Structure formats: C-alpha cells, structure tokens
Amino acid sequence: MSPPQRSRILKTLIGTGAGNAVEWYDWAIYATFASFIASQLFSKQDTSSAFLATLAIFAVGFVARPLGGFIFGWIGDKVGRKASLTLCVGLASLGSLAIGLTPTYDSIGAGASVMLLIARLIQGLAHGGELPSAQTYLSEMAPPSRRGYWASLIYASGTVGILFGTLLGAVLSTAMPESTMAAYGWRIPFLLGAVFGLVALVMRARMEESELFESGTATHDAVVPGNPTPPHSSLFTDLARHWRQALQVIGLTVGLTVAYYVWGVSTPAYAINVLKIDATEALWAGVAANLVFIVALPLWGRLSDRIGRKPVLLISGIGSALTFFPATWFVQNSAMQLGLAMSAMLVFIAASASIMPAVYSELFPTAVRTIGVAIPYALCVAAFGGTAAYLQAGFSIWFGPGGPTVFGVYTIVLLLIGAATALSLRESRGIDLSTR
C-alpha cells in the first residue's frame, strides 16, 4: 500500500471514528449526570418532578432525531457526505457547550430549563444525522471486499465514546465531593465534549469526499445528448421509489435497537433499581460486557465479508432471541452473572450491529443512500430504542412479576422480525456500490 493510500485510509477511519465517538459520548453523559442537571437547571421545590423533567428532555432528543435524519440526509445526498459529517459533529459540540455553560435555575429561573431543552434538541438533530451519514460515508470509502469489517467501526467507536463518558463520570464522582459535583463538576464532561467535538470537526474537515458521491453527482448532472437540461429528479421521488428498502431498514432495526439499548445501555441501571445489585459492581459489569462487545464487532464484520451478510444477520437475530430469556434468568442478584449475561447477549447483538451500516448502504443507490437510511432508521430508533428502557421498567410495574416475561416476548418478536427481514434480502457481500 502506497503512503498516500495509507494516509487516506487513516484520515477516513480516524475522522469517522473520532466524530462518531464524540457524538455517542455527548449523548450518553446526559443520562450519566441527569441527577445533577435536575438539581441545577430545574426548581428544587420538587426534586422528583425536576428529575422526571430532566428525563423528559432526554426523550426530546430522540424525538428530534428523525428531523435531523431528514436534514442531514438531504445534505449528505445533495451537498456531500463530508459536509454532512462535519456539520453533525459541529452541531453536537455546540449543544454540549450550551449545556456546560447554561446558568442555573437559581440564576435565571425557567430560562435554564428552556436553554437545556434547546441544547438537547440541537444534539438530537445532530445525532439523527450522524449515524446515517457516517454509515454511508464509511461504506462508500471501504474496499468492497472489506466493507463489513470497516462498518464495524461505527458501533465500536460509539461504544468507546459511551464507555469513556461512563468512566469519566465514575472518576469525577470519586475525586470530587457531592457538593462540588453538584456545583460545577457535572459541567466538566459537557465542556470536554465541546473540545473533543472541535478536534473531531477539524479531522473531518480534512477528510476526502466519497468518490462514489462525486462520480454519482457528475453522472447525475451530465447533459444528455439532445436534451440540454440536466435530468434533475426530486429527492422525494427518488426516496419514494425505494419504499421497500426503507421498510427493510425498519425491519432490520427494530429488534437490534431494542436489544442493544436494553443489554448494552440500560440493564445495569435495571439491575441496580429492580434486582438491587450493588451500583458500583453493576456498572463495572456493564463496562466489562461492553468491552466484549467492542472485541466481537470486527470479528463478525470480517466473517460477513467471507460468508455473507445474511448468515451473520440470521445468527444474530435468532441467537439473540434464543438467548434472551436464559440470559435474563441467569442474572438473578449477582454482578458477575450480570456481566456474563450481558456479554453473551452482546456477542450476538454485535453480529448485526457490526455489519448493519454496510447492509443499509448496500440497499440504496448513491443518489439517496444517506437519506434513504436516515429517515426510516431515525424513526425506528426514536419509536423503539427511545422507549426500550421505559418499557422494560414499565412492564414490571404494570404486570408485576410477569413484567420481565412480557418485555422479553416483546423483544424476541422484534428480533424475529429482524431475522425474517434478513431472509428477504439479496446477498450483498462485496457488491460494487456504484452499480446500485
């Protein structure tokens, strides 16, 4: 490999991975420091209402994601993948900076809560555009024979961002008294997120545009002999023409997003609050399981480049469905069992997560590849991923002892929908994306 090629690859991987990690970090630290945000940016007269309002604003970020998917998907397909990626990370960093600098409720009253809401809306817009843009760009830049392997960078880098935010929270909470954390310590991760975002923005500004996008634009704008007007078509028309692929994106995503948010993100909190496992031990079990997840991702990606996307997707969907109840029953009240159960589930979840960016990109032609993924993906994550933790806890309240079983059946049904959708796909391993 020549030095220019090596430099190009490094810029692509580091720029995409660093920006994606920053976005996931920004998204996760809000939940990590929600209790401190509630005490500083909402009225202290009713602490329970303040905390619920903080969580409601967290949910607003999910609501904004479909709009972000549309805006940045349009930018990605009309202006360029690089432009969309750069704007996404810049906007996310602006939201993080705004949260870090928001005055307290005691200083400006309800204005503090409004500023927080606006900042989260900004981050929701950015995150709605980040994943589809990054997935499309990385898939188009990857060699066809290694697209599955390269695609695994998306979830790997994102999980690194989440883990870093979690560990930073643990370090700050240990090093600072609670009064200091409440006063200003909780702001540090958000201000760091703004700095990290600025670095990622510079990295992305130095990346090259996808050759597939540039060649596709040139072809799209070419003048046809006898017709001096370039054949521009409506983006909405192009998108509507691929409604089947949009439904396939939803089918592939519903089970993955719920399973990931449950086993990769919210299960430690569920174990702490419902199963009464020690908080510190449960959090470390979650960290260990996510490290297993990161290791598994590229292995599944490489396997899909050898045996195909469909077998790996089927292994993931069916394996996750079969493992769900045994893993749930295995946890009991032990942090060690929690870590093992999470690891087992995340190994199967990693099979889908690792290659989904490649699979999505292989479904759509270049002209609508970003927005074609962005809109159905964001809607699906908002509707299913955003409610996963709420339903997991809610079913236990509404159905009593049978709640976990009801939630398990719900998740398994969604996972099997994903497996059925995988069966409907044409095998796309190694295809030339320029022919789509």
Side-chain angles (χ1 to χ4, degrees), residues 9-391:
I9 289 173
L10 286 175
K11 283 182 181 179
T12 297
L13 295 178
I14 294 174
T16 307
N20 194 52
V22 169
E23 291 248 9
W24 287 45
Y25 164 87
D26 285 340
W27 193 259
I29 57 173
Y30 184 96
T32 303
F33 295 94
S35 60
F36 296 107
I37 294 172
S39 69
Q40 294 297 303
L41 304 187
F42 291 89
S43 172
K44 296 182 175 66
Q45 291 183 353
D46 187 341
T47 56
S48 296
S49 295
F51 185 67
L52 287 174
T54 305
L55 294 181
I57 288 180
F58 179 72
V60 166
F62 279 97
V63 175
R65 286 173 69 152
L67 179 59
F70 171 77
I71 293 172
F72 289 102
W74 183 89
I75 292 172
D77 287 331
K78 288 299 183 183
V79 181
R81 320 306 197 205
K82 175 183 168 181
S84 181
L85 284 169
T86 305
L87 287 171
C88 282
V89 76
L91 199 62
S93 299
L94 180 64
S96 189
L97 178 65
I99 294 174
L101 297 179
T102 298
T104 64
Y105 187 92
D106 291 340
S107 300
I108 62 171
S113 307
V114 173
M115 289 181 66
L116 177 66
L117 173 63
I118 294 171
R120 282 302 290 178
L121 283 171
I122 289 172
Q123 288 187 321
L125 291 173
H127 208 72
E130 167 65 23
L131 273 177
S133 299
Q135 291 169 350
T136 298
Y137 178 78
L138 196 64
S139 295
E140 290 183 347
M141 296 294 284
S145 62
R146 305 187 74 190
R147 191 178 297 126
Y149 181 51
W150 279 41
S152 66
L153 176 67
I154 298 296
Y155 269 86
S157 60
T159 306
V160 168
I162 291 175
L163 286 178
F164 181 77
T166 303
L167 291 172
L168 180 61
V171 170
L172 289 175
S173 298
T174 302
M176 293 182 176
E178 187 171 350
S179 58
T180 305
M181 279 295 298
Y184 66 85
W186 67 271
R187 298 180 184 272
I188 294 174
F190 292 99
L191 297 176
L192 284 176
V195 174
F196 296 152
L198 180 62
V199 174
L201 187 149
V202 172
M203 289 181 177
R204 287 188 166 181
R206 294 176 177 176
M207 296 190 310
E208 299 179 17
E209 181 56 87
S210 159
E211 291 182 4
L212 267 178
F213 172 78
E214 291 184 329
S215 62
T217 302
T219 302
H220 193 264
D221 291 341
V223 176
V224 178
N227 179 10
T229 304
H232 291 289
S233 60
S234 165
L235 186 63
F236 292 103
T237 302
D238 288 340
L239 187 58
R241 194 177 297 127
H242 298 90
W243 61 271
R244 288 185 180 85
Q245 290 92 328
L247 289 178
Q248 287 175 322
V249 170
I250 292 174
L252 291 169
T253 305
V254 285
L256 170 63
T257 189
V258 171
Y260 174 74
Y261 273 103
V262 169
W263 288 100
V265 179
S266 67
T267 289
Y270 177 82
I272 294 167
N273 291 295
V274 178
L275 302 179
K276 306 304 178 184
I277 294 177
D278 178 77
T280 302
E281 292 180 359
L283 290 173
W284 279 111
V287 169
N290 273 282
L291 289 174
V292 171
F293 181 63
I294 292 173
V295 172
L297 286 165
L299 299 178
W300 284 114
R302 295 189 77 164
L303 182 64
S304 79
D305 286 330
R306 298 187 64 179
I307 68 173
R309 313 292 190 229
K310 290 179 67 171
V312 173
L313 290 174
L314 290 171
I315 291 170
S316 177
I318 296 172
S320 297
L322 292 175
T323 309
F324 191 94
F325 275 126
T328 302
W329 296 328
F330 182 71
V331 174
Q332 300 300 321
N333 58 355
S334 163
M336 177 68 72
Q337 291 174 307
L338 171 66
L340 291 173
M342 288 182 66
S343 297
M345 281 298 299
L346 285 173
V347 165
F348 283 111
I349 293 168
S352 287
S354 64
I355 64 170
M356 208 59 84
V359 174
Y360 292 150
S361 296
E362 290 161 353
L363 285 172
F364 292 92
T366 303
V368 292
R369 185 165 290 132
T370 311
I371 198 169
V373 174
I375 293 178
Y377 179 84
L379 287 170
C380 188
V381 171
F384 293 91
T387 59
Y390 177 81
L391 290 178

